[in-house]
Amino acid sequence: MICDIHNVNYVMKLSQLDLNLFVVFDTIYAERNLTRAAEMLSVTQPAVSNALARLRAALGDPLFIRTGDGMAPTPYAESIAADVSEALQRLAASAQRAQAFDPARSNRVFRLSMTDAFDTLVLPKLFADLATSAPGIGLRSFRLPRADIPAALARGTLDIAAEVALPDAAGLIRRPLPPEPHVCGLRPGHPAARAPLTMERYLALDHIHVSGRQRGSGAVDIALRAVGLRRRIRVRLQHYLAVPALVMVSDLAVSLPESWARALGLTVLPLPFDVPPMQTWLYRHARSDGDAGVLWLFDRMAGATGAESQR
């Protein structure tokens, strides 16, 4: 009986806590870093630290231990993390269902993770659309590591992602966007652009390789390796935005999706070998089926790419 009374008192104590403290807990657990958690929550780091201190005092556990890599959850934090995340998800879903979504009047801020190509080429079209149809809607775009996207969509710290195929898409709803053929991009006036690009002439060029990863091959190199060939990579970049600064002042070549090459003002030549087109997908979690706002934006983002609506 004493144990039951203690349990009741504990539950009553939890029920009196500010729900925002558990939002902070869930975000710290996801980010493992107080600074990133503060950025995700749009608050200051001292505010996050203060919320964590209050929750530590209420639950009687440190919850997170500072390490060289950030904040590591304690065993107790690990034991409650899934329940906290699920409870917050259910509350958010209930709140969304209880409110009719009117894009013309909504001030909701949507959180998006997108490839740099989508961010640069599609986001301006999307925002131009929203400026007239949903002037109060806000967008927060940040690039999550590909492996972290499914969990972020499941937790609700991310609403929609535009990304290449994810390794683990369980529980996710995805829609294919128009595929992008790969081309060779050169500066205007490049000597190699004066004649058709043969395999021999392509391999004679010095190349830029663009990848968000520190190492590993891309689609172009995999296609070349399949026929026993390799190109000479002189520069490796993390994103395409740095490409023009190098290509326009050199004879470097870059193989990239065609829309990127044209947007960057490069001379476009067909590749002399077959490379699978770049396939990007829009992702949302199945839990967002009842969220009219996410469903609406999902369609708008697809429409900005030229993909047909499936609703």
Side-chain angles (χ1 to χ4, degrees):
M1 184 58 138
I2 295 177
C3 181
D4 289 341
I5 292 175
H6 286 169
N7 287 339
V8 169
N9 289 337
Y10 183 69
V11 170
M12 290 181 65
K13 184 178 180 181
L14 290 182
S15 69
Q16 295 170 0
L17 285 175
D18 184 348
L19 181 62
N20 287 324
L21 298 182
F22 290 102
V23 175
V24 171
F25 170 89
D26 189 54
T27 308
I28 297 174
Y29 184 83
E31 299 298 328
R32 309 296 169 99
N33 182 283
L34 294 184
T35 300
R36 289 200 299 271
E39 292 172 353
M40 292 291 293
L41 295 168
S42 297
V43 298
T44 64
Q45 183 173 330
V48 171
S49 298
N50 179 60
L52 178 58
R54 291 170 59 194
L55 197 57
R56 282 168 166 167
L59 299 181
D61 188 88
L63 299 177
F64 298 96
I65 306 299
R66 191 177 299 278
T67 69
D69 296 327
M71 302 293 287
T74 65
Y76 176 71
E78 287 283 8
S79 73
I80 67 172
D83 290 338
V84 169
S85 180
E86 182 177 357
L88 292 174
Q89 279 291 306
R90 291 190 176 189
L91 285 171
S94 297
Q96 293 299 333
R97 283 195 294 269
Q99 299 178 358
F101 178 75
D102 182 356
R105 298 185 178 183
S106 176
N107 291 316
R108 183 172 174 182
V109 176
F110 291 93
R111 295 152 299 185
L112 315 172
S113 176
M114 302 183 281
T115 63
D116 54 353
F118 194 100
D119 213 356
T120 303
L121 301 178
V122 180
L123 191 57
K125 299 177 184 177
L126 174 66
F127 195 76
D129 172 26
L130 301 188
T132 56
S133 63
I137 292 292
L139 303 176
R140 182 186 297 170
S141 175
F142 45 87
R143 185 77 186 273
L144 287 180
R146 196 177 306 163
D148 295 345
I149 289 175
L153 289 169
R155 287 192 306 269
T157 55
L158 182 67
D159 295 307
I160 299 173
E163 190 54 85
V164 298
L166 295 176
D168 178 13
L172 303 185
I173 306 297
R174 71 177 189 174
R175 181 181 303 178
L177 301 179
E180 282 273 3
H182 286 82
V183 297
C184 179
L186 305 169
R187 65 171 173 81
H190 193 294
R194 297 171 186 167
L197 190 62
T198 64
M199 181 68 85
E200 181 180 3
R201 297 178 70 232
Y202 177 84
L203 295 177
L205 295 169
D206 289 328
H207 293 267
I208 298 172
H209 176 53
V210 182
S211 174
R213 299 175 298 168
Q214 292 185 355
R215 58 182 63 85
S217 301
V220 170
D221 297 292
I222 292 172
L224 285 172
R225 196 160 57 232
V227 293
L229 298 172
R230 294 181 64 182
R231 59 178 177 161
R232 187 167 58 244
I233 296 175
R234 290 286 303 279
V235 180
R236 186 179 179 114
L237 300 175
Q238 287 190 321
H239 49 73
Y240 291 111
L241 295 179
V243 165
L246 284 173
V247 172
M248 295 301 186
V249 297
S250 70
D251 284 340
L252 289 167
V254 59
S255 299
L256 71 174
E258 184 174 5
S259 63
W260 255 113
R262 298 194 183 282
L264 297 176
L266 306 181
T267 296
V268 174
L269 298 176
L271 290 174
F273 53 97
D274 293 330
V275 180
M278 172 75 75
Q279 180 64 68
T280 304
W281 303 77
L282 281 184
Y283 291 92
R284 62 178 178 84
H285 199 273
R287 290 176 178 171
S288 65
D289 281 346
D291 188 333
V294 170
L295 297 179
W296 172 83
L297 185 60
F298 199 72
D299 270 348
R300 290 288 183 170
M301 292 176 68
T305 69
E308 295 182 0
S309 172
Q310 295 180 0
R311 294 183 64 196

